Amino acid sequence: MSGETAKALDTLLVSQHVAYIQSLDERKEDLEYWLTEHLRVNGLYWGLTALDLMNHKDVLPREDVIQYLLSVQHANGAFGGHHGHDPHILYTHSAIQILVTLDALDRINTEPVVQFIASLQRPDGSFSGDAWGEVDTRFAYIALSCLSLLKRLDAVDVDKTVEWILQCKNYDGGFGSRPGSESHSGQVFCCVAALAIADALHHVDRDMLGWWLCERQVKNGGLNGRPEKLEDVCYSWWVLSALATIGRLHWIDKQKLTEFILSAQDPEDGGIADRPGNMVDVYHTHFGVAGLSLLGYPGLKRIDPVYCMPEYVLARIGLARSYQD
């Protein structure tokens, strides 16, 4: 690596990342473009949010984004991942986050969305992701996040969902995807964030969970999802967000993590990879930038650790909250 490149990786390459995100819909000759077709709505959320945090939201044409989302909304109110794909709570969440960010919720009828999400709640308080019935703590978080953004938490039994999430808590303080599953950083984020939305964080042992989370940091500064696994830039979000929510963000080495995220950038074509030297993608670009925002990286907008959206957006709709660290 040349001295010039090494120096460039000491800073966030904003202009390169903006150009990379702008180019994503033009790469139709790439196999990856077609293999990830089902993630198009998610990718739009990842790209738009990263751009917003970097103060370049307007490079994506607002009306084109809105029209695309309207084109993938189904009759039941839910959204598919792209044209021709079934509706799912994952894509519905990304669509709602985008519409809230663009201040465009008035472009859709939200009541069918609310009813779709409410229909996914099971008697034990858990949520499935779609009509096919898979249950996961991700879906419980997404349901509460969507309904909170829509100001309709009254549509489901929140207390029952809290009870079910607590059944997913393990002896180490972490949470799994369902009762009996091992603790994982991604599921920890989902459960902690869901409890935060439900005003039920008092059920969390913050020191025990904070210790499990801070032990996810490895020697090079990166974070992993569970013990003995490789570090990955995306856990800069999953781990940090939970630490921020429970007030334990200061328990990790922020400088080393910042250096790890920056080292995973592509200095020529933009984008951030899962770890240095690998291929970039919009998923890791988003979560790398989001992680840097939580770390207080200069020049980035502040991001909310529960909703994974810029704080100013949530303040606009009355959902801003303070997290003490």
Side-chain angles (χ1 to χ4, degrees):
M1 180 180 293
S2 68
E4 181 180 353
T5 301
K7 182 178 180 181
L9 295 183
D10 290 338
T11 59
L12 182 65
L13 307 175
V14 173
S15 60
Q16 288 94 320
H17 299 327
V18 170
Y20 164 71
I21 294 170
Q22 282 184 289
S23 73
L24 289 174
D25 200 44
E26 301 170 358
R27 302 188 176 195
K28 295 182 173 64
E29 74 283 357
D30 295 346
L31 177 61
E32 181 187 12
Y33 180 91
W34 300 106
L35 292 178
T36 60
E37 180 185 75
H38 64 295
L39 297 174
R40 201 72 74 233
V41 169
N42 296 139
L44 187 56
Y45 156 72
W46 296 327
L48 177 68
T49 305
L51 288 170
D52 199 357
L53 294 174
M54 295 186 292
N55 300 287
H56 286 80
K57 180 180 69 174
D58 293 339
V59 302
L60 292 185
R62 179 178 183 273
E63 187 59 30
D64 288 354
V65 171
I66 294 170
Q67 287 299 326
Y68 170 70
L69 291 178
L70 293 176
S71 74
V72 297
Q73 187 177 24
H74 289 250
N76 65 356
F79 293 79
H82 190 48
H83 300 131
H85 289 264
D86 291 339
H88 196 284
I89 199 170
L90 286 169
Y91 314 131
T92 301
H93 187 220
S94 289
I96 295 300
Q97 288 174 301
I98 294 168
L99 291 170
V100 171
T101 297
L102 296 179
D103 196 15
L105 267 183
D106 60 340
R107 301 290 293 275
I108 65 169
N109 181 1
T110 59
E111 189 58 28
V113 183
V114 171
Q115 294 309 315
F116 167 77
I117 295 171
S119 74
L120 298 175
Q121 187 171 36
R122 298 158 64 94
D124 62 0
S126 65
F127 282 82
S128 54
D130 58 15
W132 307 107
E134 179 189 7
V135 172
D136 191 307
T137 46
R138 291 177 301 160
F139 309 147
Y141 159 67
I142 288 172
L144 296 192
S145 177
C146 281
L147 293 175
S148 177
L149 291 170
L150 297 174
K151 309 296 181 65
R152 287 300 312 277
L153 280 171
D154 61 292
V156 297
D157 190 334
V158 175
D159 291 340
K160 199 70 176 175
T161 298
V162 169
E163 291 177 9
W164 182 77
I165 288 173
L166 295 177
Q167 293 178 41
C168 301
K169 185 165 66 172
N170 293 319
Y171 70 92
D172 54 15
F175 295 81
S177 60
R178 55 184 61 85
S181 297
E182 68 173 318
S183 297
H184 186 283
S185 299
Q187 311 300 147
V188 168
F189 159 76
C190 291
C191 293
V192 169
L195 293 175
I197 293 171
D199 292 324
L201 275 178
H202 57 280
H203 291 295
V204 175
D205 185 328
R206 299 183 186 223
D207 286 346
M208 179 179 288
L209 178 57
W211 180 252
W212 187 88
L213 288 166
C214 74
E215 283 196 321
R216 305 281 60 77
Q217 190 162 38
V218 301
K219 290 183 179 180
N220 68 0
L223 300 167
N224 61 22
R226 49 201 167 107
E228 304 302 322
K229 295 295 182 180
L230 291 175
E231 68 281 4
D232 188 317
V233 162
C234 72
Y235 293 114
S236 304
W237 173 260
W238 307 120
V239 174
L240 281 187
S241 57
L243 284 171
T245 303
I246 64 174
R248 299 295 185 273
L249 191 57
H250 59 288
W251 283 15
I252 64 158
D253 189 326
K254 296 180 182 180
Q255 182 59 38
K256 287 193 69 175
L257 178 56
T258 298
E259 293 171 358
F260 171 73
I261 297 171
L262 295 176
S263 72
Q265 300 177 100
D266 183 330
E268 297 178 1
D269 298 322
I272 301 176
D274 57 349
R275 56 186 64 88
N278 285 356
M279 293 292 293
V280 305
D281 58 69
V282 68
Y283 173 87
H284 289 93
T285 301
H286 162 71
F287 286 114
V289 173
L292 289 173
S293 174
L294 280 179
L295 291 167
Y297 191 87
L300 295 180
K301 291 178 182 174
R302 289 173 56 88
I303 193 168
D304 184 276
V306 167
Y307 293 93
C308 198
M309 296 169 63
E311 284 186 352
Y312 82 91
V313 173
L314 296 166
R316 188 181 67 215
I317 62 173
L319 286 180
R321 61 178 74 198
S322 175
Y323 300 93
Q324 302 298 323
D325 190 52

